[in-house]
Amino acid sequence: MAAAKLKSEELSRRDQLRSEKPYVYKKIVKFEEKFKRGESIAIIQFQYNYNCNFRCRHCSVKGFQGKKAARSFTIADVKKLFAQADALGLARVTITGGEPLVFKDFDALVKAIGPKKFYINCDTNGWFLDEKRARHLKSIGVDRIQLSLDSLNPAEHDAFRRAPGSFARAIKAVDAARGAGLKIFIQTVVTKQRLHSREFIRFLKYFNGKGIGVFVTYAKPVGAWENDFSGLVDKKDMRYMKRLEKKHQVFTHLTPAYGLEMGCIAVKGMFSVTQYGDVLPCPYIHVSIGNVFKESLKKIIRRGLKIKYFGEQVDTCLIAQDRDFINKYIAGRVYNKPLPVPCAEVFKAEDRTRKPFQHKA
């Protein structure tokens, strides 16, 4: 990949990765050629377990929780999944849930994934991330913390997360992660209304002032927000976000990375694996394109890329902004059904791709 396409910050991160995780580095430098061949370079968003100590107002996995009878991942299953992912050249994983830091087998989970073979992110609400835990996470191979925080107003954040005291503990978790040498960014949920608020700009300036980037998750009409379209952004809002990206250290899944402009990254740049083995095109499109307990990850990814919305270039977030997509496929074919809905029930023959996605320089 030509160095001119990469920002200086990304080149610096690569140099550090080459030193700390040379095997992962070798996979990442092949991303552009893989992408040009029409292959997935996805982050695996691994919803290993849905246990959680919070009951957030926007929880996107509400419909997946409580399925005690279904087969769930064992540590042996994790090893098998990530051996397949490694063979496919995938290099990044985000451990999520639920709340990962309540998992009793978290250390075994990280070991099974393989810290030398993958760049490991860990989602957390910060409740259990103190200095001792942060140092431990660093020692077992976790690379980065993705910490959820949704307002600089403690009362607003605590109410949104339905967890009194969660703001204070999240702020302490930021310092704990940085003190342990863990990389960190802030994840924050943004509705149309919050995007244009003064609070959001203060939020960006506060964390950027600490040298911390902010990742924006747009409101989605799924999970606890099913049927709620009031906070969805439109294309004008997304253009405004692009302007903010030029002024602040803020990004979304649509932000170009690795010198690549992928647009919607579902399947090609990210997919989710549920506690029950189903592979979702992204965390918010609750459609199963296959189950890793029944068939290979390679076959499942190929199936996903044959669906035009995931196998072609789409320059928006389908599940956050595209009301036609939401109305037809999500409200029309996913709502009020057991989750996840098999892809054959949602995407029909006319939804198959006719042209593979293309790299945009």
Side-chain angles (χ1 to χ4, degrees), residues 301-313:
I301 292 172
R302 283 180 174 174
R303 180 181 298 124
L305 291 175
K306 289 179 181 178
I307 298 169
K308 66 181 180 182
Y309 296 102
F310 316 130
E312 298 178 10
Q313 184 86 22

Side-chain angles (χ1 to χ4, degrees), residues 251-357:
F251 54 100
T252 74
H253 279 311
L254 295 173
T255 305
Y258 303 101
L260 301 169
E261 226 178 289
M262 289 187 279
C264 174
I265 64 172
V267 184
K268 48 188 170 283
M270 169 181 273
F271 58 78
S272 297
V273 180
T274 75
Q275 176 180 331
Y276 310 108
D278 287 292
V279 178
L280 315 179
C282 89
Y284 309 101
I285 298 176
H286 296 159
V287 176
S288 176
I289 57 174
N291 188 294
V292 296
F293 298 150
K294 299 176 182 178
E295 54 188 341
S296 72
L297 182 60
K298 182 177 183 178
K299 184 176 181 180
I300 294 169
I301 292 172
R302 283 180 174 174
R303 180 181 298 124
L305 291 175
K306 289 179 181 178
I307 298 169
K308 66 181 180 182
Y309 296 102
F310 316 130
E312 298 178 10
Q313 184 86 22
V314 178
D315 293 321
T316 191
C317 180
L318 292 165
I319 192 64
Q321 182 274 318
D322 191 328
R323 289 300 297 271
D324 290 337
F325 179 88
I326 293 168
N327 291 338
K328 181 176 180 179
Y329 297 102
I330 307 304
R333 300 178 184 177
V334 173
Y335 283 179
N336 303 315
K337 292 183 179 180
L339 300 179
V341 181
C343 65
E345 295 183 19
V346 180
F347 300 107
K348 309 300 181 181
E350 64 268 22
D351 298 314
R352 290 175 64 86
T353 184
R354 296 182 180 180
K355 56 182 179 179
F357 61 84

Side-chain angles (χ1 to χ4, degrees), residues 195-248:
L195 176 62
H196 296 282
S197 70
R198 292 181 179 179
E199 178 275 329
F200 182 56
I201 300 301
R202 289 197 302 270
F203 188 94
L204 296 180
K205 289 181 176 179
Y206 176 81
F207 287 107
N208 288 181
K210 292 178 173 289
I212 299 173
V214 175
F215 172 73
V216 164
T217 296
Y218 291 123
K220 318 288 197 311
V222 298
W225 276 351
E226 185 174 303
N227 273 312
D228 185 350
F229 308 108
S230 62
L232 298 190
V233 295
D234 57 28
K235 288 190 175 180
K236 183 178 180 180
D237 298 322
M238 297 177 96
R239 288 193 295 271
Y240 172 65
M241 174 59 73
K242 285 188 176 182
R243 294 197 296 273
L244 291 182
E245 290 184 42
K246 295 178 180 179
K247 297 179 180 179
H248 307 280

Side-chain angles (χ1 to χ4, degrees), residues 115-180:
K116 292 183 179 180
K117 295 182 178 180
F118 291 90
Y119 188 90
I120 299 178
N121 300 286
C122 179
D123 268 344
T124 183
N125 55 41
W127 190 270
F128 294 109
L129 187 60
D130 57 16
E131 293 179 3
K132 181 179 178 180
R133 189 72 183 275
R135 289 194 300 269
H136 178 71
L137 295 183
K138 176 72 173 178
S139 73
I140 64 174
V142 172
D143 296 289
R144 185 168 63 185
I145 295 298
Q146 303 180 184
L147 189 137
S148 297
L149 223 163
D150 296 297
S151 176
L152 282 182
N153 181 311
E156 289 180 0
H157 172 82
D158 291 1
F160 187 70
R161 294 284 169 173
R162 293 186 174 126
S166 60
F167 176 87
R169 293 182 77 141
I171 292 296
K172 288 181 180 179
V174 172
D175 294 333
R178 298 178 79 190

